[in-house]
Amino acid sequence: PIFHNPFIPQKARYFRIMDNFILNNVQLKTELPFSSVKTTVSLLTEAATVPFIARYRQEMTGGMDETQIRSIQTWLTYFENLQDRKQTILSTIKEQGKLTPELEKQIIGCTEASMLEEIYLPYKPKRKTKASTAIENGLEPLAEMILKNEPFGNKDQIVNQFINDKVPTVAEVIEGAQYIVAERFSVDLEIREYVRQQFMKHGIAECKKRKQTTEHKDTGKFELYFEFNQKVDGLKPHQVLALNRGEKLNILNVSIGVEEEYCNTFIERRLRINSKGIFTEDLKEAVVLSLRRYIFPSIELELRRTLTETADKHAIETFSTNLRNLLLQAPIVGKVVLGIDPGFVSGCKVAVVDGNGNYLEGNTIYPVPPRNAFAEAEKILNELIAKHKVDIIAIGNGTASRETETFVAGFLRKYQLTTQFIIVNEAGASVYSASEVAQQEFPKLDATQRGNISIARRLQDPLAELVKIDPKSIGVGLYQHDVDQKALADELSNVVESAVNHVGVDLNTASASLLSYVSGLSMRQATEVIAHRNKIKQFTTRKQLKEVAGVGDKAYEQSAGFLKIRNGEEPLDNTTIHPESYAAVEKMADYFGLKTTQFKELSMKLNFIGAKDEMNLLALAGIGKPTLALIKENLAKPGRDPREELQKPLLRSDILKIGDLREGMELTGTIRNVVDFGAFVDIGLKNDALIHISKMGARFVKNPQEVVAVGEIVRVQVEKIEAEKQRVGLSLVS
């Protein structure tokens, strides 16, 4: 969808993209081999997905991974949009009668969107300004004289010639002419570039608390910025986003400034102002006017926009990395889980799901204030655990989470149960519970009972459950509601797509939400797959996908390799080997006198084959080394879930209170969130503890993501305890 433009016929668009300007510039930006870029662009324009290209077209692309392909995709879009913008600008300037051959060449050769807008600035249609009014009043010739700073003549006589009904005084005539001059300076590329560099190298960001008639509820969060000064080139992304948010909430006043004198001197030198000219002072005043009224505000706005874009990009990258790590957490397979969605007044909603995630039974307990109905809650839990042989209790981490955890730990200890518990990130559970997806899954349950089912299932298979929720609702980022929402949504969608296709999907158990992220399938097609599955009871072969309404040859090609079928008619359907390579596997099996079903034997033969035999085998099978490597991997571990090799979630059987802590104590915890300044860790306290970036190792750490990831189990040491604020500082041990 990102490349579809309904206004450009697909064939014409293909040849346009293959124009050397776009391809050459995509190659320059990505610094990847030109042949690989060209092939990848060709595949993308033919509606191939990024996961498909990365896994099944490595021979064609030279081994491109997803990151490289998405980079090509991003820059392809950028230069397509740039070419469209050039056409608009050329047409506009041509209509004005101002398009010279030199200007046309400059525009056509431009490779940066920001520079293109700078070139266009003098010709951009403007709203009515004081300068345009002055021109209408006949003051442009006087502005030309001021610009030239005529050395001779009688200034008063010259100025008096321009007095008329609309500008009846000398002062108004001079002022009008100065506005014309100032506006011309404001679109001068050299002047703007000099001022821009001054802002970037020497600009100071200043921030103060804004006077408020009533205090905003979040005012205290911005206390660090009430008296804040920082060089622009030293601003950190999270500071930029904090300043933006504080300004948006009318809590902060933010500005960026530079020394006016340096900019003033530069312009005067560039103009070579003759100090003996009759308009010297008027020209100098026009320079100051241009800087203060036009150039400084424009460059400040531009710089704020650039800083925000950079901060947005960083925040989105942080969010996407955290999301990917959260989605790819190891599942706890085959365990019966009791999910609890904690709450005070409304009580704690309880749901039991079996080892396959099927809902068994639910109830509501009130073991926390204001009711504190401990005996009743213990009775209900005992009955559910005994009846369904519950292995794990999953507690949501929202309101009343720690109070519920205290009750559960005491309950398990009191009745000496072997059941363990864990705190689960419940972000987005309420969004899911009220969604159409949840209503379709559990039409007879009310919204309050659906959220706890989601909490239980998240422990069993985080990926399958979290794909049902808008990624922005999963709280593993910083300032995610302040960044560019479209860019965030696009990036997070890419992350979910990547994660789903990395793991693969069971065609006979996957939900429509999960299937919709499979390469080549839309939500409509995913819904049709579910309908067809219900009709035939279950898929026994990948080929049956072709029978699904709306799934054509292209959708089948793009999706088949990522959809697995356990115990089907074709054993290879339980691997990520693409059906297009089944014939190659058969030829290799024949080569060794084996059957294609003899995975283990064929895998051993392929792993110990010599270089010469490998070349013969590749030629016989008609495949390349990347496809051979994929075949080897899948024959060795058919049906493998890559998440099985990751750390399992940390289960607990008791709780920890802040009073139990001592400085120097070592503990084990789970990383809940990673941000610019550190990582938040669940060590079993009411609030997550913080490992500051400075406490992540002996060496300097620039980015916490290099050291820890969401979901990882870490060993930490207690560094600082602030009991009154319920805050704990940690250092990373391992």
Side-chain angles (χ1 to χ4, degrees):
I2 198 169
F3 291 102
H4 176 61
N5 186 335
F7 301 107
I8 303 175
Q10 195 62 25
K11 202 166 187 179
R13 181 178 170 276
Y14 175 84
F15 287 111
R16 175 189 176 208
I17 288 170
M18 289 303 169
D19 174 83
N20 278 340
F21 175 87
I22 291 179
L23 288 178
N24 286 337
N25 281 288
V26 171
Q27 189 276 322
L28 285 170
K29 290 293 185 182
T30 58
E31 297 182 341
L32 296 167
F34 182 82
S35 59
S36 297
V37 170
K38 186 173 182 179
T39 301
T40 303
V41 167
S42 177
L43 288 167
L44 287 168
T45 57
E46 291 165 5
T49 69
V50 173
F52 176 82
I53 298 170
R55 182 175 290 178
Y56 298 115
R57 291 296 179 262
Q58 288 197 34
E59 284 96 336
M60 294 176 67
T61 66
M64 293 276 200
D65 60 28
E66 279 196 35
T67 302
Q68 292 169 320
I69 296 166
R70 291 201 190 278
S71 178
I72 291 172
Q73 188 181 52
T74 299
W75 285 112
L76 176 60
T77 304
Y78 176 88
F79 285 109
E80 275 200 279
N81 292 337
L82 185 69
Q83 293 296 75
D84 288 340
R85 181 62 176 153
K86 284 180 186 178
Q87 292 302 316
T88 301
I89 288 173
L90 287 168
S91 298
T92 303
I93 299 175
K94 190 173 182 180
E95 287 172 6
Q96 296 172 3
K98 297 177 181 177
L99 186 62
T100 64
E102 294 78 13
L103 180 59
E104 184 176 21
K105 185 178 179 181
Q106 189 180 14
I107 291 170
I108 290 172
C110 187
T111 59
E112 300 288 341
S114 57
M115 180 51 66
L116 181 62
E117 296 304 325
E118 286 284 295
I119 295 168
Y120 179 46
L121 195 57
Y123 310 96
K124 194 173 183 178
K126 300 178 181 67
R127 57 184 176 80
K128 198 172 184 69
T129 64
K130 288 190 175 183
S132 62
T133 301
I135 291 171
E136 290 172 5
N137 293 339
L139 299 180
E140 192 166 20
L142 178 59
E144 295 286 353
M145 293 180 193
I146 292 176
L147 267 170
K148 293 175 184 175
N149 195 17
E150 297 287 354
F152 307 109
N154 187 308
K155 177 182 173 180
D156 292 336
Q157 287 182 358
I158 294 172
V159 173
N160 285 330
Q161 293 174 22
F162 293 92
I163 292 175
N164 56 47
D165 293 341
K166 293 181 180 177
V167 277
T169 67
V170 169
E172 288 176 289
V173 169
I174 293 291
E175 182 186 56
Q178 285 177 326
Y179 269 105
I180 297 172
V181 174
E183 196 171 272
R184 287 197 189 177
F185 289 159
S186 73
V187 295
D188 184 290
L189 291 181
E190 192 174 339
I191 292 174
R192 289 181 64 84
E193 182 57 27
Y194 177 82
V195 175
R196 183 180 292 109
Q197 291 302 319
Q198 289 296 307
F199 266 84
M200 292 173 69
K201 293 177 183 176
H202 308 294
I204 302 290
E206 294 186 6
C207 181
K208 291 186 178 181
K209 182 182 178 183
R210 177 176 288 187
K211 291 182 180 178
Q212 297 169 285
T213 51
T214 55
E215 286 286 291
H216 192 281
K217 63 182 178 66
D218 291 329
T219 296
K221 296 179 181 178
F222 297 91
E223 193 173 347
L224 284 172
Y225 301 101
F226 287 171
E227 291 292 335
F228 180 81
N229 284 276
Q230 175 69 53
K231 281 194 70 177
V232 167
D233 59 5
L235 279 173
K236 294 180 174 62
H238 70 272
Q239 291 175 324
V240 173
L241 294 173
L243 293 177
N244 289 350
R245 180 188 282 184
E247 189 176 49
K248 188 176 180 180
L249 295 174
N250 292 320
I251 295 171
L252 303 176
N253 278 326
V254 183
S255 64
I256 299 177
V258 291
E259 286 289 340
E260 183 181 298
E261 183 182 345
Y262 294 128
C263 300
N264 212 330
T265 303
F266 171 80
I267 298 174
E268 289 183 5
R269 284 178 181 169
R270 184 173 178 277
L271 295 173
R272 296 178 182 174
I273 296 178
N274 179 2
S275 59
K276 295 180 181 179
I278 61 174
F279 291 109
T280 298
E281 292 307 314
D282 303 309
L283 187 53
K284 287 182 177 181
E285 287 174 8
V287 170
V288 174
L289 177 66
S290 183
L291 286 171
R292 292 179 182 175
R293 186 177 180 87
Y294 298 109
I295 301 176
F296 283 170
S298 172
I299 299 297
E300 181 184 6
L301 187 65
E302 178 189 305
L303 182 57
R304 289 286 302 274
R305 187 162 50 242
T306 301
L307 288 169
T308 298
E309 286 172 357
T310 303
D312 279 6
K313 184 179 179 183
H314 177 80
I316 290 170
E317 286 173 353
T318 299
F319 195 120
S320 63
T321 301
N322 286 341
L323 177 63
R324 183 178 178 84
N325 290 327
L326 182 64
L327 292 173
L328 294 179
Q329 284 187 100
I332 294 185
V333 181
K335 299 292 184 182
V336 179
V337 179
L338 184 149
I340 302 180
D341 186 1
F344 287 115
V345 177
S346 60
C348 302
K349 304 298 184 294
V350 177
V352 181
V353 297
D354 67 16
N356 294 316
N358 299 310
Y359 173 66
L360 299 175
E361 189 176 351
N363 211 321
T364 303
I365 58 177
Y366 299 87
V368 295
R371 290 177 60 169
N372 295 322
F374 302 123
E376 182 188 357
E378 288 175 355
K379 182 175 181 292
I380 292 171
L381 286 189
N382 256 324
E383 289 174 354
L384 290 173
I385 290 171
K387 179 179 179 182
H388 300 293
K389 297 181 174 56
V390 172
D391 298 299
I392 304 166
I393 297 174
I395 305 167
N397 67 340
T399 305
S401 172
R402 293 306 179 183
E403 290 80 2
T404 305
E405 180 189 28
T406 302
F407 162 74
V408 168
F411 160 75
L412 295 175
R413 195 165 53 244
K414 179 178 178 180
Y415 292 94
Q416 299 181 343
L417 299 176
T418 57
T419 305
Q420 293 176 294
F421 68 87
I422 186 172
I423 299 294
V424 176
N425 184 346
E426 69 170 40
S430 59
V431 176
Y432 161 77
S433 63
S435 69
E436 187 178 338
V437 173
Q439 291 172 32
Q440 290 173 352
E441 282 193 280
F442 307 106
K444 295 181 180 179
L445 296 179
D446 61 42
T448 58
Q449 276 291 352
R450 297 180 192 129
N452 46 341
I453 298 172
S454 177
I455 289 169
R457 285 176 166 181
R458 287 183 192 198
L459 186 63
Q460 294 177 320
D461 192 340
L463 180 61
E465 196 61 27
L466 290 172
V467 293
K468 301 173 185 176
I469 302 163
D470 181 349
K472 289 184 288 185
S473 299
I474 302 171
V476 285
L478 187 68
Y479 296 111
Q480 61 261 35
H481 299 295
D482 298 314
V483 301
D484 182 325
Q485 293 301 291
K486 184 181 183 305
L488 176 64
D490 289 345
E491 177 63 21
L492 297 186
S493 179
N494 289 341
V495 170
V496 178
E497 178 190 48
S498 175
V500 169
N501 289 287
H502 172 69
V503 172
V505 169
D506 187 324
L507 186 54
N508 282 317
T509 61
S511 65
S513 300
L514 191 59
L515 286 168
S516 69
Y517 282 104
V518 170
S519 164
L521 296 182
S522 64
M523 178 54 85
R524 182 183 61 79
Q525 290 168 318
T527 305
E528 291 290 349
V529 170
I530 299 291
H532 191 75
R533 185 174 73 195
N534 293 336
K535 180 181 175 182
I536 64 173
K537 304 304 181 187
Q538 67 173 7
F539 287 94
T540 56
T541 173
R542 282 170 168 167
K543 290 178 182 177
Q544 289 173 296
L545 275 170
K546 294 182 178 181
E547 300 169 6
V548 177
V551 177
D553 291 342
K554 193 68 180 181
Y556 176 77
E557 175 200 59
Q558 297 293 304
S559 64
F562 301 98
L563 297 167
K564 299 177 186 177
I565 299 174
R566 292 192 184 97
N567 305 315
E569 294 175 11
E570 170 57 75
L572 289 172
D573 283 351
N574 193 30
T575 70
T576 59
I577 299 171
H578 198 281
E580 67 188 10
S581 297
Y582 286 2
V585 177
E586 190 175 342
K587 288 176 183 177
M588 288 189 285
D590 287 343
Y591 184 84
F592 294 113
L594 298 169
K595 296 179 180 179
T596 54
T597 54
Q598 293 177 279
F599 285 4
K600 187 176 179 180
E601 294 82 356
L602 183 53
S603 173
M604 289 181 66
K605 290 283 187 182
L606 291 172
N607 281 325
F608 293 102
I609 195 171
K612 186 175 180 181
D613 281 339
E614 183 182 273
M615 286 182 64
N616 292 336
L617 200 58
L618 291 175
L620 174 69
I623 58 173
K625 286 187 176 183
T627 301
L628 178 61
L630 181 68
I631 290 171
K632 283 182 182 179
E633 179 188 352
N634 279 270
L635 292 178
K637 295 181 179 180
R640 182 182 75 95
D641 185 334
R643 297 173 297 172
E644 292 171 0
E645 299 167 7
L646 303 175
Q647 291 175 315
K648 298 293 182 185
L650 181 63
L651 302 176
R652 299 185 183 278
S653 55
D654 212 338
I655 60 166
L656 189 67
K657 298 185 181 72
I658 200 165
D660 300 331
L661 298 182
R662 298 290 180 271
E663 290 184 6
M665 181 185 287
E666 287 196 7
L667 301 162
T668 302
T670 303
I671 301 291
R672 290 294 180 203
N673 197 7
V674 183
V675 293
D676 288 351
F677 51 82
F680 292 97
V681 188
D682 175 13
I683 55 173
L685 295 173
K686 182 178 179 63
N687 299 321
D688 289 340
L690 174 68
I691 309 175
H692 191 266
I693 191 171
S694 62
K695 300 292 183 179
M696 288 191 166
R699 64 179 180 85
F700 172 74
V701 176
K702 186 176 181 182
N703 182 359
Q705 300 279 6
E706 299 169 359
V707 183
V708 292
V710 168
E712 277 190 339
I713 311 300
V714 292
R715 191 75 182 164
V716 294
Q717 185 177 76
V718 178
E719 289 278 323
K720 187 177 181 181
I721 304 167
E722 296 180 76
E724 68 285 353
K725 294 182 178 179
Q726 292 290 302
R727 291 197 306 214
V728 176
L730 307 171
S731 62
L732 183 66
V733 176
S734 66

